Amino acid sequence: MARRPIVPRIEAALLCLLGLGFLMVLQTWFFPVYHFGLLLVIGVTLLNIAVGNLPRGAGPLRALLMTLLLLAIVAAVVVIGILLVPTLAQLGQGE
């Protein structure tokens, strides 16, 4: 019996975790569960950006290395965006 490639299995696991995170955010009884659910949704979303761009037939090691590279690119874009906010805000004021 042939096993499915790792990337589709990771994507399925991420979707399950995303659903769990949303359920944790929707509950209104216990704030720490809400807080962890929100962090889970954010983390899984960022990880899904990287995993969603992997080749479907990538092996485990290649998938891991490419995921780390793509997460580094996403982090760099976020940091550059944060650093550009003051400059862009001044441009918007027309001074």
Side-chain angles (χ1 to χ4, degrees), residues 17-18 20-22 24 35-45:
L17 286 173
L18 190 61
L20 176 65
F22 279 128
M24 293 170 77
H35 183 77
F36 183 75
L38 188 59
L39 293 176
L40 184 64
V41 167
I42 293 169
V44 168
T45 302

Side-chain angles (χ1 to χ4, degrees), residues 1-37:
M1 178 168 71
R3 294 188 68 175
R4 282 188 357 193
I6 188 120
V7 174
R9 288 187 288 156
I10 293 173
E11 288 177 338
L14 288 174
L15 286 176
C16 291
L17 286 173
L18 190 61
L20 176 65
F22 279 128
L23 288 176
M24 293 170 77
V25 168
L26 288 175
Q27 66 83 30
T28 58
W29 304 283
F30 196 53
F31 183 74
V33 173
Y34 167 85
H35 183 77
F36 183 75

